[in-house]
Amino acid sequence: MSEMRLAVLGVAGRMGRTLIRVIGETEGVKVAAALERPGSIACGDDAGLLAGAGHLGVPVSDDLDAALSNVDGVIDFTAPAASVALAREAARRGLVHVIGTTGCSADDDAAIGEAARGGARIVKSGNMSLGVNLLAALVEQAARALGPDAFDIEILEMHHRHKVDAPSGTALLLGEAAAYGRGVDLGAQSVRVRDGHTGAREAGTIGFATLRGGSVIGDHEVILAGEGERVTLGHHAEDRAIFARGAVRAALWARSQEPGLYSMRDVLGLSA
């Protein structure tokens, strides 16, 4: 099979630059288009030079239609509205669309699901790290095995000071895994805020604690606390490239799949 031609959105950002470098280091893929928002000062720059990966001969553009006309897939760590619009374009063109965007609403997710049914091959995850998605599978197993009566579940996450959504997409991914393991709805069982005289912890709930500061890439711990013992499952991101490597792996995997909406657990063969 020929090299997979990929478009990268938001190439002037930290994740965009990392994706350009990782694609350049990965066999079977190449950067075919590099996109930024209209009016970005990066437009016209060589994407490789912008990312510190050497000259690629791929100029940064704000012309989405032209960029998508010559690619097999697109990798997108942008914003919910942009991801929804791009999913519709991917459906119209039959492209692979890897979505690492977090903070999507229920309506956004519904629109992305509709695009997948309309012809796009979409892989969407709150975290593209291979390790985090393995962690989610372990959390699901632990939540199922230990049960809600004997063990409480708390999810602790910390990110850099610039992160705009809370809890993080990864924390919600882990919370969904725990809820699925228990056979409950996360929205009905999650506790996002504790302040003042809250009373005793309600049995069966899944708690979230959010920390922000410094340059932390991403730390996550799932604590299962019982009487006299605790089980702690965790993941610490040390390099943003782990998310880029997972996204590229997802794109290569999705290329041979039927249109539909997939997760990183599908990519890793961890789905039930």
Side-chain angles (χ1 to χ4, degrees), residues 104 106 109 124 126 135-137 139-141 143-144 153 155 167-190 192 206-208 222 265:
C104 291
D109 286 336
K124 182 178 184 296
L135 173 61
V139 168
E140 179 185 320
Q141 289 183 322
R144 181 181 296 115
I153 296 178
I155 299 171
S168 70
T170 304
L172 293 173
L173 174 76
L174 297 171
E176 290 286 359
Y180 187 81
R182 285 183 168 180
V184 300
D185 176 63
L186 180 63
Q189 294 295 316
S190 67
R192 308 286 183 89
I206 297 171
F208 291 83
V222 179
R265 293 178 70 173

PDB file of all heavy atoms in Angstrom, residues 104 106 109 124 126 135-137 139-141 143-144 153 155 167-190 192 206-208 222 265:
ATOM      1  N   CYS A 104     -15.712  18.211  23.854  1.00  0.00           N
ATOM      2  CA  CYS A 104     -16.890  18.121  22.995  1.00  0.00           C
ATOM      3  C   CYS A 104     -18.158  17.923  23.833  1.00  0.00           C
ATOM      4  O   CYS A 104     -18.152  17.182  24.817  1.00  0.00           O
ATOM      5  CB  CYS A 104     -16.747  16.960  22.012  1.00  0.00           C
ATOM      6  SG  CYS A 104     -15.474  17.210  20.753  1.00  0.00           S
ATOM      7  N   ALA A 106     -22.362  16.839  24.154  1.00  0.00           N
ATOM      8  CA  ALA A 106     -23.158  15.717  23.657  1.00  0.00           C
ATOM      9  C   ALA A 106     -23.626  15.976  22.234  1.00  0.00           C
ATOM     10  O   ALA A 106     -23.651  15.053  21.397  1.00  0.00           O
ATOM     11  CB  ALA A 106     -24.345  15.485  24.586  1.00  0.00           C
ATOM     12  N   ASP A 109     -20.669  15.365  19.892  1.00  0.00           N
ATOM     13  CA  ASP A 109     -20.440  13.932  19.713  1.00  0.00           C
ATOM     14  C   ASP A 109     -21.484  13.310  18.790  1.00  0.00           C
ATOM     15  O   ASP A 109     -21.180  12.437  17.979  1.00  0.00           O
ATOM     16  CB  ASP A 109     -20.437  13.219  21.068  1.00  0.00           C
ATOM     17  CG  ASP A 109     -19.172  13.482  21.867  1.00  0.00           C
ATOM     18  OD1 ASP A 109     -18.136  13.802  21.254  1.00  0.00           O
ATOM     19  OD2 ASP A 109     -19.212  13.360  23.107  1.00  0.00           O
ATOM     20  N   LYS A 124     -11.932   8.638  17.431  1.00  0.00           N
ATOM     21  CA  LYS A 124     -12.010   9.743  18.388  1.00  0.00           C
ATOM     22  C   LYS A 124     -11.691   9.220  19.781  1.00  0.00           C
ATOM     23  O   LYS A 124     -12.195   8.186  20.198  1.00  0.00           O
ATOM     24  CB  LYS A 124     -13.406  10.366  18.383  1.00  0.00           C
ATOM     25  CG  LYS A 124     -13.550  11.564  19.315  1.00  0.00           C
ATOM     26  CD  LYS A 124     -14.945  12.163  19.220  1.00  0.00           C
ATOM     27  CE  LYS A 124     -15.070  13.421  20.074  1.00  0.00           C
ATOM     28  NZ  LYS A 124     -14.904  13.140  21.527  1.00  0.00           N
ATOM     29  N   GLY A 126     -10.465  10.744  23.939  1.00  0.00           N
ATOM     30  CA  GLY A 126     -10.045  11.807  24.835  1.00  0.00           C
ATOM     31  C   GLY A 126      -8.551  11.802  25.089  1.00  0.00           C
ATOM     32  O   GLY A 126      -8.009  12.765  25.624  1.00  0.00           O
ATOM     33  N   LEU A 135      -4.633   1.716  30.224  1.00  0.00           N
ATOM     34  CA  LEU A 135      -5.078   2.035  31.573  1.00  0.00           C
ATOM     35  C   LEU A 135      -6.605   2.008  31.663  1.00  0.00           C
ATOM     36  O   LEU A 135      -7.168   1.474  32.628  1.00  0.00           O
ATOM     37  CB  LEU A 135      -4.552   3.417  31.984  1.00  0.00           C
ATOM     38  CG  LEU A 135      -5.061   3.983  33.307  1.00  0.00           C
ATOM     39  CD1 LEU A 135      -4.685   3.092  34.477  1.00  0.00           C
ATOM     40  CD2 LEU A 135      -4.542   5.408  33.509  1.00  0.00           C
ATOM     41  N   ALA A 136      -7.285   2.566  30.671  1.00  0.00           N
ATOM     42  CA  ALA A 136      -8.747   2.576  30.689  1.00  0.00           C
ATOM     43  C   ALA A 136      -9.310   1.164  30.725  1.00  0.00           C
ATOM     44  O   ALA A 136     -10.285   0.889  31.436  1.00  0.00           O
ATOM     45  CB  ALA A 136      -9.278   3.335  29.471  1.00  0.00           C
ATOM     46  N   ALA A 137      -8.693   0.257  29.973  1.00  0.00           N
ATOM     47  CA  ALA A 137      -9.154  -1.132  29.990  1.00  0.00           C
ATOM     48  C   ALA A 137      -8.957  -1.760  31.367  1.00  0.00           C
ATOM     49  O   ALA A 137      -9.812  -2.512  31.858  1.00  0.00           O
ATOM     50  CB  ALA A 137      -8.409  -1.931  28.922  1.00  0.00           C
ATOM     51  N   VAL A 139      -8.867  -0.089  34.243  1.00  0.00           N
ATOM     52  CA  VAL A 139      -9.827   0.551  35.149  1.00  0.00           C
ATOM     53  C   VAL A 139     -11.193  -0.110  35.023  1.00  0.00           C
ATOM     54  O   VAL A 139     -11.869  -0.372  36.029  1.00  0.00           O
ATOM     55  CB  VAL A 139      -9.910   2.060  34.851  1.00  0.00           C
ATOM     56  CG1 VAL A 139     -11.107   2.696  35.570  1.00  0.00           C
ATOM     57  CG2 VAL A 139      -8.620   2.761  35.260  1.00  0.00           C
ATOM     58  N   GLU A 140     -11.603  -0.375  33.803  1.00  0.00           N
ATOM     59  CA  GLU A 140     -12.894  -1.045  33.603  1.00  0.00           C
ATOM     60  C   GLU A 140     -12.919  -2.404  34.295  1.00  0.00           C
ATOM     61  O   GLU A 140     -13.894  -2.746  34.987  1.00  0.00           O
ATOM     62  CB  GLU A 140     -13.156  -1.215  32.105  1.00  0.00           C
ATOM     63  CG  GLU A 140     -14.464  -1.913  31.790  1.00  0.00           C
ATOM     64  CD  GLU A 140     -14.637  -2.183  30.316  1.00  0.00           C
ATOM     65  OE1 GLU A 140     -14.274  -1.309  29.495  1.00  0.00           O
ATOM     66  OE2 GLU A 140     -15.131  -3.279  29.960  1.00  0.00           O
ATOM     67  N   GLN A 141     -11.847  -3.168  34.134  1.00  0.00           N
ATOM     68  CA  GLN A 141     -11.781  -4.487  34.771  1.00  0.00           C
ATOM     69  C   GLN A 141     -11.804  -4.368  36.292  1.00  0.00           C
ATOM     70  O   GLN A 141     -12.505  -5.129  36.982  1.00  0.00           O
ATOM     71  CB  GLN A 141     -10.512  -5.215  34.329  1.00  0.00           C
ATOM     72  CG  GLN A 141     -10.533  -5.681  32.886  1.00  0.00           C
ATOM     73  CD  GLN A 141      -9.272  -6.451  32.528  1.00  0.00           C
ATOM     74  OE1 GLN A 141      -8.165  -6.111  32.971  1.00  0.00           O
ATOM     75  NE2 GLN A 141      -9.425  -7.496  31.750  1.00  0.00           N
ATOM     76  N   ALA A 143     -12.995  -1.882  38.163  1.00  0.00           N
ATOM     77  CA  ALA A 143     -14.287  -1.404  38.641  1.00  0.00           C
ATOM     78  C   ALA A 143     -15.312  -2.534  38.642  1.00  0.00           C
ATOM     79  O   ALA A 143     -16.125  -2.646  39.566  1.00  0.00           O
ATOM     80  CB  ALA A 143     -14.769  -0.246  37.771  1.00  0.00           C
ATOM     81  N   ARG A 144     -15.253  -3.359  37.622  1.00  0.00           N
ATOM     82  CA  ARG A 144     -16.188  -4.487  37.544  1.00  0.00           C
ATOM     83  C   ARG A 144     -15.900  -5.513  38.645  1.00  0.00           C
ATOM     84  O   ARG A 144     -16.816  -6.027  39.295  1.00  0.00           O
ATOM     85  CB  ARG A 144     -16.093  -5.146  36.174  1.00  0.00           C
ATOM     86  CG  ARG A 144     -17.057  -6.332  35.985  1.00  0.00           C
ATOM     87  CD  ARG A 144     -16.920  -6.980  34.621  1.00  0.00           C
ATOM     88  NE  ARG A 144     -17.297  -6.032  33.571  1.00  0.00           N
ATOM     89  CZ  ARG A 144     -16.457  -5.564  32.652  1.00  0.00           C
ATOM     90  NH1 ARG A 144     -15.179  -5.930  32.664  1.00  0.00           N
ATOM     91  NH2 ARG A 144     -16.877  -4.734  31.733  1.00  0.00           N
ATOM     92  N   ILE A 153     -14.461   5.115  43.972  1.00  0.00           N
ATOM     93  CA  ILE A 153     -13.555   5.487  42.877  1.00  0.00           C
ATOM     94  C   ILE A 153     -13.401   6.997  42.819  1.00  0.00           C
ATOM     95  O   ILE A 153     -14.382   7.748  42.775  1.00  0.00           O
ATOM     96  CB  ILE A 153     -14.077   4.971  41.521  1.00  0.00           C
ATOM     97  CG1 ILE A 153     -14.102   3.441  41.503  1.00  0.00           C
ATOM     98  CG2 ILE A 153     -13.204   5.495  40.381  1.00  0.00           C
ATOM     99  CD1 ILE A 153     -14.638   2.843  40.214  1.00  0.00           C
ATOM    100  N   ILE A 155     -10.967   9.966  40.665  1.00  0.00           N
ATOM    101  CA  ILE A 155     -10.066  10.192  39.531  1.00  0.00           C
ATOM    102  C   ILE A 155      -9.403  11.552  39.721  1.00  0.00           C
ATOM    103  O   ILE A 155     -10.067  12.578  39.816  1.00  0.00           O
ATOM    104  CB  ILE A 155     -10.829  10.136  38.205  1.00  0.00           C
ATOM    105  CG1 ILE A 155     -11.453   8.744  38.027  1.00  0.00           C
ATOM    106  CG2 ILE A 155      -9.903  10.468  37.034  1.00  0.00           C
ATOM    107  CD1 ILE A 155     -12.410   8.642  36.867  1.00  0.00           C
ATOM    108  N   PRO A 167     -13.294  18.449  33.827  1.00  0.00           N
ATOM    109  CA  PRO A 167     -12.134  17.564  33.872  1.00  0.00           C
ATOM    110  C   PRO A 167     -11.563  17.329  32.463  1.00  0.00           C
ATOM    111  O   PRO A 167     -12.252  17.566  31.479  1.00  0.00           O
ATOM    112  CB  PRO A 167     -12.693  16.254  34.450  1.00  0.00           C
ATOM    113  CG  PRO A 167     -13.995  16.613  35.096  1.00  0.00           C
ATOM    114  CD  PRO A 167     -14.515  17.770  34.304  1.00  0.00           C
ATOM    115  N   SER A 168     -10.365  16.849  32.412  1.00  0.00           N
ATOM    116  CA  SER A 168      -9.733  16.601  31.126  1.00  0.00           C
ATOM    117  C   SER A 168     -10.462  15.503  30.362  1.00  0.00           C
ATOM    118  O   SER A 168     -11.182  14.679  30.941  1.00  0.00           O
ATOM    119  CB  SER A 168      -8.275  16.192  31.337  1.00  0.00           C
ATOM    120  OG  SER A 168      -8.208  14.894  31.912  1.00  0.00           O
ATOM    121  N   GLY A 169     -10.258  15.476  29.053  1.00  0.00           N
ATOM    122  CA  GLY A 169     -10.829  14.407  28.253  1.00  0.00           C
ATOM    123  C   GLY A 169     -10.352  13.042  28.710  1.00  0.00           C
ATOM    124  O   GLY A 169     -11.102  12.052  28.667  1.00  0.00           O
ATOM    125  N   THR A 170      -9.112  12.978  29.171  1.00  0.00           N
ATOM    126  CA  THR A 170      -8.571  11.703  29.657  1.00  0.00           C
ATOM    127  C   THR A 170      -9.262  11.274  30.945  1.00  0.00           C
ATOM    128  O   THR A 170      -9.609  10.106  31.118  1.00  0.00           O
ATOM    129  CB  THR A 170      -7.057  11.827  29.895  1.00  0.00           C
ATOM    130  OG1 THR A 170      -6.437  12.264  28.696  1.00  0.00           O
ATOM    131  CG2 THR A 170      -6.468  10.494  30.314  1.00  0.00           C
ATOM    132  N   ALA A 171      -9.478  12.222  31.860  1.00  0.00           N
ATOM    133  CA  ALA A 171     -10.171  11.891  33.104  1.00  0.00           C
ATOM    134  C   ALA A 171     -11.569  11.372  32.812  1.00  0.00           C
ATOM    135  O   ALA A 171     -12.032  10.396  33.424  1.00  0.00           O
ATOM    136  CB  ALA A 171     -10.230  13.112  34.005  1.00  0.00           C
ATOM    137  N   LEU A 172     -12.254  11.995  31.865  1.00  0.00           N
ATOM    138  CA  LEU A 172     -13.595  11.540  31.496  1.00  0.00           C
ATOM    139  C   LEU A 172     -13.546  10.174  30.820  1.00  0.00           C
ATOM    140  O   LEU A 172     -14.430   9.332  31.037  1.00  0.00           O
ATOM    141  CB  LEU A 172     -14.265  12.568  30.593  1.00  0.00           C
ATOM    142  CG  LEU A 172     -14.584  13.912  31.263  1.00  0.00           C
ATOM    143  CD1 LEU A 172     -15.085  14.910  30.234  1.00  0.00           C
ATOM    144  CD2 LEU A 172     -15.593  13.733  32.383  1.00  0.00           C
ATOM    145  N   LEU A 173     -12.514   9.950  30.008  1.00  0.00           N
ATOM    146  CA  LEU A 173     -12.324   8.638  29.388  1.00  0.00           C
ATOM    147  C   LEU A 173     -12.189   7.557  30.463  1.00  0.00           C
ATOM    148  O   LEU A 173     -12.807   6.488  30.382  1.00  0.00           O
ATOM    149  CB  LEU A 173     -11.073   8.667  28.505  1.00  0.00           C
ATOM    150  CG  LEU A 173     -10.610   7.356  27.882  1.00  0.00           C
ATOM    151  CD1 LEU A 173     -11.504   6.985  26.720  1.00  0.00           C
ATOM    152  CD2 LEU A 173      -9.165   7.482  27.401  1.00  0.00           C
ATOM    153  N   LEU A 174     -11.399   7.850  31.489  1.00  0.00           N
ATOM    154  CA  LEU A 174     -11.213   6.893  32.583  1.00  0.00           C
ATOM    155  C   LEU A 174     -12.491   6.743  33.404  1.00  0.00           C
ATOM    156  O   LEU A 174     -12.827   5.640  33.857  1.00  0.00           O
ATOM    157  CB  LEU A 174     -10.048   7.338  33.461  1.00  0.00           C
ATOM    158  CG  LEU A 174      -8.682   7.373  32.766  1.00  0.00           C
ATOM    159  CD1 LEU A 174      -7.634   8.029  33.664  1.00  0.00           C
ATOM    160  CD2 LEU A 174      -8.235   5.983  32.351  1.00  0.00           C
ATOM    161  N   GLY A 175     -13.208   7.848  33.600  1.00  0.00           N
ATOM    162  CA  GLY A 175     -14.471   7.776  34.310  1.00  0.00           C
ATOM    163  C   GLY A 175     -15.499   6.938  33.562  1.00  0.00           C
ATOM    164  O   GLY A 175     -16.245   6.146  34.169  1.00  0.00           O
ATOM    165  N   GLU A 176     -15.540   7.087  32.246  1.00  0.00           N
ATOM    166  CA  GLU A 176     -16.451   6.277  31.429  1.00  0.00           C
ATOM    167  C   GLU A 176     -16.091   4.797  31.540  1.00  0.00           C
ATOM    168  O   GLU A 176     -16.971   3.936  31.593  1.00  0.00           O
ATOM    169  CB  GLU A 176     -16.413   6.726  29.974  1.00  0.00           C
ATOM    170  CG  GLU A 176     -17.032   8.078  29.695  1.00  0.00           C
ATOM    171  CD  GLU A 176     -18.556   8.063  29.743  1.00  0.00           C
ATOM    172  OE1 GLU A 176     -19.150   6.986  29.976  1.00  0.00           O
ATOM    173  OE2 GLU A 176     -19.153   9.145  29.559  1.00  0.00           O
ATOM    174  N   ALA A 177     -14.790   4.505  31.572  1.00  0.00           N
ATOM    175  CA  ALA A 177     -14.357   3.114  31.699  1.00  0.00           C
ATOM    176  C   ALA A 177     -14.798   2.532  33.033  1.00  0.00           C
ATOM    177  O   ALA A 177     -15.288   1.398  33.111  1.00  0.00           O
ATOM    178  CB  ALA A 177     -12.836   3.018  31.551  1.00  0.00           C
ATOM    179  N   ALA A 178     -14.639   3.327  34.102  1.00  0.00           N
ATOM    180  CA  ALA A 178     -15.062   2.863  35.423  1.00  0.00           C
ATOM    181  C   ALA A 178     -16.571   2.657  35.475  1.00  0.00           C
ATOM    182  O   ALA A 178     -17.072   1.660  36.015  1.00  0.00           O
ATOM    183  CB  ALA A 178     -14.623   3.866  36.486  1.00  0.00           C
ATOM    184  N   ALA A 179     -17.316   3.605  34.907  1.00  0.00           N
ATOM    185  CA  ALA A 179     -18.776   3.505  34.904  1.00  0.00           C
ATOM    186  C   ALA A 179     -19.240   2.299  34.094  1.00  0.00           C
ATOM    187  O   ALA A 179     -20.169   1.586  34.504  1.00  0.00           O
ATOM    188  CB  ALA A 179     -19.378   4.792  34.345  1.00  0.00           C
ATOM    189  N   TYR A 180     -18.594   2.078  32.970  1.00  0.00           N
ATOM    190  CA  TYR A 180     -18.969   0.924  32.142  1.00  0.00           C
ATOM    191  C   TYR A 180     -18.709  -0.379  32.887  1.00  0.00           C
ATOM    192  O   TYR A 180     -19.510  -1.314  32.835  1.00  0.00           O
ATOM    193  CB  TYR A 180     -18.181   0.954  30.826  1.00  0.00           C
ATOM    194  CG  TYR A 180     -18.618  -0.095  29.836  1.00  0.00           C
ATOM    195  CD1 TYR A 180     -19.739   0.098  29.045  1.00  0.00           C
ATOM    196  CD2 TYR A 180     -17.908  -1.289  29.705  1.00  0.00           C
ATOM    197  CE1 TYR A 180     -20.151  -0.867  28.134  1.00  0.00           C
ATOM    198  CE2 TYR A 180     -18.311  -2.264  28.801  1.00  0.00           C
ATOM    199  CZ  TYR A 180     -19.435  -2.040  28.019  1.00  0.00           C
ATOM    200  OH  TYR A 180     -19.847  -3.010  27.127  1.00  0.00           O
ATOM    201  N   GLY A 181     -17.577  -0.425  33.594  1.00  0.00           N
ATOM    202  CA  GLY A 181     -17.270  -1.616  34.372  1.00  0.00           C
ATOM    203  C   GLY A 181     -18.309  -1.890  35.445  1.00  0.00           C
ATOM    204  O   GLY A 181     -18.619  -3.052  35.754  1.00  0.00           O
ATOM    205  N   ARG A 182     -18.892  -0.821  35.988  1.00  0.00           N
ATOM    206  CA  ARG A 182     -19.921  -0.966  37.024  1.00  0.00           C
ATOM    207  C   ARG A 182     -21.337  -1.086  36.449  1.00  0.00           C
ATOM    208  O   ARG A 182     -22.290  -1.355  37.177  1.00  0.00           O
ATOM    209  CB  ARG A 182     -19.878   0.243  37.962  1.00  0.00           C
ATOM    210  CG  ARG A 182     -18.713   0.216  38.930  1.00  0.00           C
ATOM    211  CD  ARG A 182     -18.789   1.410  39.872  1.00  0.00           C
ATOM    212  NE  ARG A 182     -17.859   1.263  40.990  1.00  0.00           N
ATOM    213  CZ  ARG A 182     -17.719   2.164  41.948  1.00  0.00           C
ATOM    214  NH1 ARG A 182     -18.434   3.280  41.919  1.00  0.00           N
ATOM    215  NH2 ARG A 182     -16.863   1.964  42.933  1.00  0.00           N
ATOM    216  N   GLY A 183     -21.458  -0.820  35.156  1.00  0.00           N
ATOM    217  CA  GLY A 183     -22.776  -0.886  34.539  1.00  0.00           C
ATOM    218  C   GLY A 183     -23.675   0.279  34.893  1.00  0.00           C
ATOM    219  O   GLY A 183     -24.894   0.123  35.006  1.00  0.00           O
ATOM    220  N   VAL A 184     -23.070   1.475  35.046  1.00  0.00           N
ATOM    221  CA  VAL A 184     -23.846   2.663  35.399  1.00  0.00           C
ATOM    222  C   VAL A 184     -23.556   3.775  34.397  1.00  0.00           C
ATOM    223  O   VAL A 184     -22.604   3.702  33.611  1.00  0.00           O
ATOM    224  CB  VAL A 184     -23.521   3.153  36.834  1.00  0.00           C
ATOM    225  CG1 VAL A 184     -23.845   2.075  37.843  1.00  0.00           C
ATOM    226  CG2 VAL A 184     -22.050   3.580  36.954  1.00  0.00           C
ATOM    227  N   ASP A 185     -24.367   4.823  34.449  1.00  0.00           N
ATOM    228  CA  ASP A 185     -24.186   5.995  33.598  1.00  0.00           C
ATOM    229  C   ASP A 185     -23.299   7.005  34.318  1.00  0.00           C
ATOM    230  O   ASP A 185     -23.621   7.423  35.437  1.00  0.00           O
ATOM    231  CB  ASP A 185     -25.540   6.619  33.276  1.00  0.00           C
ATOM    232  CG  ASP A 185     -25.402   7.905  32.481  1.00  0.00           C
ATOM    233  OD1 ASP A 185     -24.894   7.852  31.355  1.00  0.00           O
ATOM    234  OD2 ASP A 185     -25.790   8.969  33.009  1.00  0.00           O
ATOM    235  N   LEU A 186     -22.201   7.402  33.691  1.00  0.00           N
ATOM    236  CA  LEU A 186     -21.266   8.314  34.357  1.00  0.00           C
ATOM    237  C   LEU A 186     -21.936   9.647  34.679  1.00  0.00           C
ATOM    238  O   LEU A 186     -21.713  10.220  35.752  1.00  0.00           O
ATOM    239  CB  LEU A 186     -20.024   8.542  33.486  1.00  0.00           C
ATOM    240  CG  LEU A 186     -18.979   9.486  34.084  1.00  0.00           C
ATOM    241  CD1 LEU A 186     -18.401   8.915  35.368  1.00  0.00           C
ATOM    242  CD2 LEU A 186     -17.868   9.780  33.077  1.00  0.00           C
ATOM    243  N   GLY A 187     -22.743  10.156  33.757  1.00  0.00           N
ATOM    244  CA  GLY A 187     -23.380  11.445  33.988  1.00  0.00           C
ATOM    245  C   GLY A 187     -24.238  11.468  35.240  1.00  0.00           C
ATOM    246  O   GLY A 187     -24.325  12.484  35.934  1.00  0.00           O
ATOM    247  N   ALA A 188     -24.846  10.334  35.547  1.00  0.00           N
ATOM    248  CA  ALA A 188     -25.712  10.267  36.724  1.00  0.00           C
ATOM    249  C   ALA A 188     -24.941   9.983  38.006  1.00  0.00           C
ATOM    250  O   ALA A 188     -25.439  10.246  39.103  1.00  0.00           O
ATOM    251  CB  ALA A 188     -26.775   9.185  36.515  1.00  0.00           C
ATOM    252  N   GLN A 189     -23.711   9.467  37.878  1.00  0.00           N
ATOM    253  CA  GLN A 189     -22.960   9.020  39.057  1.00  0.00           C
ATOM    254  C   GLN A 189     -21.726   9.851  39.361  1.00  0.00           C
ATOM    255  O   GLN A 189     -21.091   9.642  40.384  1.00  0.00           O
ATOM    256  CB  GLN A 189     -22.538   7.554  38.869  1.00  0.00           C
ATOM    257  CG  GLN A 189     -23.692   6.562  38.828  1.00  0.00           C
ATOM    258  CD  GLN A 189     -24.429   6.496  40.148  1.00  0.00           C
ATOM    259  OE1 GLN A 189     -23.824   6.458  41.210  1.00  0.00           O
ATOM    260  NE2 GLN A 189     -25.749   6.493  40.092  1.00  0.00           N
ATOM    261  N   SER A 190     -21.364  10.782  38.484  1.00  0.00           N
ATOM    262  CA  SER A 190     -20.117  11.516  38.713  1.00  0.00           C
ATOM    263  C   SER A 190     -20.314  12.691  39.666  1.00  0.00           C
ATOM    264  O   SER A 190     -21.375  13.317  39.717  1.00  0.00           O
ATOM    265  CB  SER A 190     -19.541  12.019  37.388  1.00  0.00           C
ATOM    266  OG  SER A 190     -20.376  13.000  36.812  1.00  0.00           O
ATOM    267  N   ARG A 192     -18.306  16.192  40.359  1.00  0.00           N
ATOM    268  CA  ARG A 192     -17.263  17.039  39.777  1.00  0.00           C
ATOM    269  C   ARG A 192     -16.752  18.089  40.757  1.00  0.00           C
ATOM    270  O   ARG A 192     -15.636  18.576  40.609  1.00  0.00           O
ATOM    271  CB  ARG A 192     -17.801  17.751  38.522  1.00  0.00           C
ATOM    272  CG  ARG A 192     -18.437  16.828  37.487  1.00  0.00           C
ATOM    273  CD  ARG A 192     -17.402  16.025  36.742  1.00  0.00           C
ATOM    274  NE  ARG A 192     -18.019  15.201  35.713  1.00  0.00           N
ATOM    275  CZ  ARG A 192     -18.253  15.582  34.460  1.00  0.00           C
ATOM    276  NH1 ARG A 192     -17.932  16.807  34.077  1.00  0.00           N
ATOM    277  NH2 ARG A 192     -18.792  14.756  33.602  1.00  0.00           N
ATOM    278  N   ILE A 206     -18.632   8.355  41.364  1.00  0.00           N
ATOM    279  CA  ILE A 206     -17.272   8.411  40.820  1.00  0.00           C
ATOM    280  C   ILE A 206     -16.828   9.867  40.898  1.00  0.00           C
ATOM    281  O   ILE A 206     -17.412  10.744  40.251  1.00  0.00           O
ATOM    282  CB  ILE A 206     -17.227   7.895  39.370  1.00  0.00           C
ATOM    283  CG1 ILE A 206     -17.645   6.418  39.326  1.00  0.00           C
ATOM    284  CG2 ILE A 206     -15.826   8.083  38.773  1.00  0.00           C
ATOM    285  CD1 ILE A 206     -17.835   5.863  37.922  1.00  0.00           C
ATOM    286  N   GLY A 207     -15.824  10.139  41.708  1.00  0.00           N
ATOM    287  CA  GLY A 207     -15.395  11.509  41.953  1.00  0.00           C
ATOM    288  C   GLY A 207     -14.261  11.949  41.040  1.00  0.00           C
ATOM    289  O   GLY A 207     -13.441  11.134  40.602  1.00  0.00           O
ATOM    290  N   PHE A 208     -14.222  13.250  40.774  1.00  0.00           N
ATOM    291  CA  PHE A 208     -13.162  13.840  39.951  1.00  0.00           C
ATOM    292  C   PHE A 208     -12.509  14.981  40.707  1.00  0.00           C
ATOM    293  O   PHE A 208     -13.199  15.797  41.336  1.00  0.00           O
ATOM    294  CB  PHE A 208     -13.730  14.392  38.638  1.00  0.00           C
ATOM    295  CG  PHE A 208     -14.207  13.352  37.671  1.00  0.00           C
ATOM    296  CD1 PHE A 208     -15.472  12.796  37.796  1.00  0.00           C
ATOM    297  CD2 PHE A 208     -13.392  12.926  36.640  1.00  0.00           C
ATOM    298  CE1 PHE A 208     -15.918  11.840  36.911  1.00  0.00           C
ATOM    299  CE2 PHE A 208     -13.830  11.969  35.747  1.00  0.00           C
ATOM    300  CZ  PHE A 208     -15.096  11.419  35.876  1.00  0.00           C
ATOM    301  N   VAL A 222      -6.312   6.829  38.999  1.00  0.00           N
ATOM    302  CA  VAL A 222      -7.623   6.315  39.381  1.00  0.00           C
ATOM    303  C   VAL A 222      -7.423   5.557  40.686  1.00  0.00           C
ATOM    304  O   VAL A 222      -6.649   4.592  40.743  1.00  0.00           O
ATOM    305  CB  VAL A 222      -8.210   5.392  38.304  1.00  0.00           C
ATOM    306  CG1 VAL A 222      -9.569   4.849  38.748  1.00  0.00           C
ATOM    307  CG2 VAL A 222      -8.346   6.149  36.981  1.00  0.00           C
ATOM    308  N   ARG A 265      -9.309   2.132  21.771  1.00  0.00           N
ATOM    309  CA  ARG A 265      -9.394   0.743  22.223  1.00  0.00           C
ATOM    310  C   ARG A 265      -9.657  -0.191  21.051  1.00  0.00           C
ATOM    311  O   ARG A 265      -9.192  -1.335  21.040  1.00  0.00           O
ATOM    312  CB  ARG A 265     -10.449   0.621  23.313  1.00  0.00           C
ATOM    313  CG  ARG A 265     -10.023   1.351  24.583  1.00  0.00           C
ATOM    314  CD  ARG A 265     -11.060   1.287  25.671  1.00  0.00           C
ATOM    315  NE  ARG A 265     -11.174  -0.053  26.228  1.00  0.00           N
ATOM    316  CZ  ARG A 265     -11.921  -0.344  27.296  1.00  0.00           C
ATOM    317  NH1 ARG A 265     -12.615   0.607  27.891  1.00  0.00           N
ATOM    318  NH2 ARG A 265     -11.973  -1.566  27.755  1.00  0.00           N
TER     319      ARG A 265
END
